[in-house]
Amino acid sequence: MAKSSQIKTSLSENSKALDIQKKTLPAIIGEGVSLSAYFKRIEVIEILKDLISPVIAYRYQILPLKKEGSRLYIAVSDSEDVAKLDEISWVLGQEIIPVRVGTEEIQEGLRTLYGLGAETVGRMLEEDSDEDYVDLNKAITSDLDEESEEASIIRFVNELLVAAFRERATDIHIEPYESELHIRYRVDGVLYQFPVPEALKHLHSAIVSRIKIMANLNIAEQRLPQDGRIKVRAGQKELDLRISILPTPHGESVNLRILNSNQVTLGLENLGLLPRDMALIELLIKKPHGIILVTGPTGSGKTTTLYSCLYRLNDVSRKIITVEDPIEYQLSGITQVQVNPQIGLTFANGLRSMLRHDPDVMLVGEIRDHETAEVTIQVAMTGHLVFSTLHTNDAPGAVARLINMGIEPYLIAASVECIIAQRLVRVICPSCKEVDVDIKNKAIYEVMRRYSSDSDFVYHGKGCEHCKHTGYYGRTAIYEFMVIDDEIREHIVRKTPANQLRQIALSKGMIGLRQDGMEKVRLGITTLDEVLRVTQEVED
């Protein structure tokens, strides 16, 4: 009791001193420095994270800011709640000086300083404080089904999904290594690492088991790859998660692909097409028959482009059917079929069955083999407009890919109307967009001059809270349209190599991926670095 009274008196004196000194957050961590950036400094983390345990920090929603002698500056959302501050001071057993900080900033600071799920891990370790790590790990792996149902693991997985959704992530990677566990997430096509407690490695098996249970997978099978799906709700939004599990020497690696239909706005006008390309694609999708191929690597936005084309064509006068693996987004007014090879429903078999439903427009999720390519071409040559995708580096490469699948060149020439290659580039953050004044001192300036001679400056993102100091927010696409005309058809029949086919298409007016990207650099949409990052393997 004496200790509590002494600390309370001390706290009151500190509050008075604080009013006199007018201590603010910038005065403690530095002018112009955000709380999240402050906690990312290695020297700061090493000093501060041991001053308050993660369990106490999360319980009271506080953050250690600075230690000066016997005083500890802490961030709190309500610096006027004397009773709560008195309790915190008593629990910590030292003199504290509260500094008012926003609730959201504290939440982000907790994740940055202690790592994702630090409270969950801390509580579990506290409960087993008499056991060493080996015994804890043994307890978890001894009965995965039972352990994964514990509230602590469930809470951690929920925290992981909520954090990824908050960061606009499209993928979560859980990667086990010999002595640590990495959790990374992909935002706007770039991977970032979640800070996590070191002790999380010992909970890896339970985390994987929990995810398997959510996806209705076999928790006992740890030697074979498994795939599944999970539907979850984040606030008012429903998320569809695609789960892929791979066995590795140090445990199972998990990838969660987050499909958020609320973030996808369909429509050709939302694809980032320049006026010339918009006019071209409007003409292409009105063709009565033929194949329109969209190419690019995984995650390059091919599905969104195809869905936007179907969205424009979707009206009562057309019957549209798709066969996909998987169906990523539900489209009203369009009949969608999910591929299921285990029961014999392949792309090729689905296409044959779809013909009996009198379709006008068809979409094949991906041409993967000779049979699917052959049936797709037959369908296109019998009066149907078909959309599909291929995995190739550029538009001319799609021709070589189809020939390698065993398709006769004359069939390709007769059926394919256009091949569209695309990549996604990050968009400059509108909140911190500014002119890059040092562009003329950069070597890549010459690259820009080669493609856009009328520009002496470009834009970049300075970095702000809105974009998490990356300088980018969101993505748009850059395109390459290779329209198949009579001359190019002749070269396809002659099996002209892809590099020569490319030069012919460029000479006839095709705008390459890099050139399209450079135009978007000139318009202030993206940066030189982004365009070079996604096109350097396509064009020299």
Side-chain angles (χ1 to χ4, degrees):
M1 182 65 72
K3 179 182 177 183
S4 179
S5 300
Q6 184 181 357
I7 291 176
K8 185 179 291 186
T9 303
S10 186
L11 181 61
S12 300
E13 293 174 354
N14 289 340
S15 298
K16 293 178 182 178
L18 187 60
D19 291 335
I20 296 173
Q21 297 171 13
K22 298 292 183 183
K23 283 286 189 180
T24 60
L25 187 63
I28 296 171
I29 67 175
E31 291 287 346
V33 179
S34 67
L35 201 58
S36 59
Y38 178 66
F39 287 133
K40 287 178 181 177
R41 298 175 181 172
I42 297 176
E43 66 276 10
V44 170
I45 292 177
E46 293 304 317
I47 295 173
L48 295 182
K49 70 178 182 180
D50 294 328
L51 294 178
I52 301 177
S53 73
V55 175
I56 293 175
Y58 274 90
R59 180 187 303 159
Y60 293 103
Q61 293 294 290
I62 59 176
L63 282 167
L65 294 175
K66 193 174 184 180
K67 185 73 180 286
E68 284 186 352
S70 61
R71 291 181 174 181
L72 175 63
Y73 289 91
I74 64 169
V76 295
S77 58
D78 185 2
S79 59
E80 304 298 328
D81 190 343
V82 178
K84 180 181 178 181
L85 295 175
D86 179 36
E87 182 180 346
I88 293 171
S89 183
W90 184 84
V91 170
L92 296 177
Q94 60 183 313
E95 185 180 348
I96 63 170
I97 297 181
V99 179
R100 185 189 293 273
V101 175
T103 303
E104 291 185 3
E105 286 185 280
I106 289 179
Q107 288 292 334
E108 185 175 355
L110 286 169
R111 290 191 297 269
T112 304
L113 182 60
Y114 295 108
L116 184 71
E119 181 189 21
T120 300
V121 176
R123 288 185 183 277
M124 295 189 70
L125 294 180
E126 278 189 353
E127 292 169 2
D128 297 280
S129 58
D130 294 333
E131 300 182 12
D132 60 20
Y133 283 150
V134 176
D135 290 336
L136 176 63
N137 193 36
K138 182 179 179 182
I140 291 170
T141 56
S142 61
D143 190 345
L144 293 177
D145 192 3
E146 179 182 349
E147 186 67 30
S148 64
E149 289 298 328
E150 290 186 0
S152 56
I153 293 299
I154 294 174
R155 185 166 60 249
F156 172 79
V157 174
N158 290 345
E159 288 176 11
L160 177 64
L161 296 178
V162 169
F165 174 73
R166 187 187 299 112
E167 298 289 343
R168 303 182 297 110
T170 56
D171 293 87
I172 306 173
H173 300 271
I174 302 175
E175 305 162 323
Y177 297 98
E178 184 175 4
S179 58
E180 57 188 347
L181 179 67
H182 288 177
I183 297 183
R184 298 191 289 172
Y185 61 101
R186 190 180 297 276
V187 178
D188 294 336
V190 178
L191 280 172
Y192 301 91
Q193 188 154 325
F194 269 125
V196 295
E198 294 180 5
L200 192 66
K201 168 66 176 177
H202 306 286
L203 306 179
H204 169 249
S205 297
I207 293 168
V208 174
S209 184
R210 170 60 186 166
I211 293 172
K212 284 183 178 180
I213 289 172
M214 293 173 69
N216 293 317
L217 300 178
N218 184 357
I219 63 171
E221 180 57 72
Q222 300 181 24
R223 301 167 299 171
L224 295 174
Q226 296 189 66
D227 296 303
R229 305 191 78 164
I230 302 173
K231 283 189 177 293
V232 297
R233 183 181 294 276
Q236 299 299 317
K237 299 179 180 179
E238 288 190 357
L239 305 179
D240 192 2
L241 310 181
R242 284 160 51 186
I243 313 300
S244 179
I245 298 178
L246 288 174
T248 74
H250 304 296
E252 293 175 287
S253 179
V254 182
N255 173 253
L256 297 92
R257 168 66 62 88
I258 303 174
L259 302 176
N260 181 7
S261 58
N262 301 97
Q263 288 184 346
V264 177
T265 305
L266 297 179
L268 296 177
E269 63 278 3
N270 299 314
L271 293 179
L273 293 162
L274 295 176
R276 64 160 187 277
D277 295 333
M278 175 66 82
L280 178 57
I281 201 169
E282 288 277 13
L283 290 174
L284 289 170
I285 63 176
K286 291 177 181 177
K287 286 182 175 289
H289 54 77
I291 300 174
I292 297 176
L293 286 174
V294 181
T295 75
T298 302
S300 59
K302 299 187 299 296
T303 300
T304 301
T305 298
L306 290 175
Y307 279 10
S308 294
C309 291
L310 296 185
Y311 185 79
R312 176 61 61 89
L313 293 171
N314 188 17
D315 58 42
V316 294
S317 67
R318 293 187 181 89
K319 172 72 172 181
I320 303 176
I321 306 180
T322 74
V323 54
E324 307 170 61
D325 183 24
I327 298 174
E328 295 194 4
Y329 305 110
Q330 301 287 339
L331 301 176
S332 178
I334 295 176
T335 303
Q336 296 174 270
V337 179
Q338 168 71 54
V339 166
N340 191 345
Q342 294 180 346
I343 59 174
L345 180 53
T346 61
F347 279 115
N349 291 337
L351 265 172
R352 293 188 183 98
S353 298
M354 286 158 61
L355 286 172
R356 292 190 283 272
H357 284 253
D358 187 29
D360 297 296
V361 180
M362 304 170 74
L363 182 147
V364 183
E366 182 183 347
I367 296 178
R368 299 177 178 174
D369 50 45
H370 171 78
E371 184 183 16
T372 304
E374 190 175 49
V375 176
T376 300
I377 288 174
Q378 290 173 357
V379 169
M381 294 180 69
T382 54
H384 301 88
L385 180 61
V386 184
F387 295 88
S388 191
T389 69
L390 270 178
H391 284 178
T392 63
N393 286 333
D394 59 0
V399 175
R401 178 87 174 96
L402 289 172
I403 292 175
N404 288 339
M405 286 183 182
I407 303 301
E408 292 293 336
Y410 73 89
L411 291 176
I412 300 172
S415 59
V416 178
E417 294 293 332
C418 181
I419 303 172
I420 306 169
Q422 70 177 80
R423 296 289 189 280
L424 291 179
V425 292
R426 291 183 289 176
V427 175
I428 299 172
C429 175
S431 298
C432 59
K433 181 177 177 180
E434 64 178 16
V435 174
D436 190 346
V437 295
D438 297 326
I439 182 63
K440 288 190 176 181
N441 297 325
K442 295 182 179 179
I444 55 176
Y445 175 67
E446 294 303 321
V447 179
M448 186 196 72
R449 296 284 294 176
R450 196 187 319 158
Y451 289 90
S452 182
S453 58
D454 60 338
S455 293
D456 289 329
F457 62 90
V458 294
Y459 295 89
H460 73 147
K462 182 179 179 181
C464 63
E465 291 294 330
H466 181 64
C467 62
K468 305 295 183 185
H469 300 280
T470 62
Y472 300 97
Y473 192 91
R475 288 189 290 178
T476 191
I478 57 175
Y479 294 94
E480 176 178 276
F481 285 77
M482 188 174 84
V483 180
I484 310 300
D485 60 11
D486 290 340
E487 182 181 349
I488 291 180
R489 292 185 201 281
E490 290 180 8
H491 283 282
I492 291 175
V493 173
R494 296 177 196 165
K495 295 185 179 181
T496 300
N499 60 337
Q500 294 182 26
L501 199 61
R502 177 175 191 79
Q503 293 303 318
I504 294 169
L506 289 171
S507 67
K508 295 177 69 63
M510 182 180 81
I511 304 298
L513 281 169
R514 179 168 289 185
Q515 186 172 349
D516 187 60
M518 288 299 175
E519 290 188 36
K520 288 181 169 115
V521 171
R522 181 175 56 82
L523 293 171
I525 297 171
T526 187
T527 65
L528 285 164
D529 292 333
E530 272 298 288
V531 173
L532 295 178
R533 179 177 68 86
V534 301
T535 63
Q536 58 187 356
E537 294 184 0
V538 179
E539 301 177 55
D540 295 328

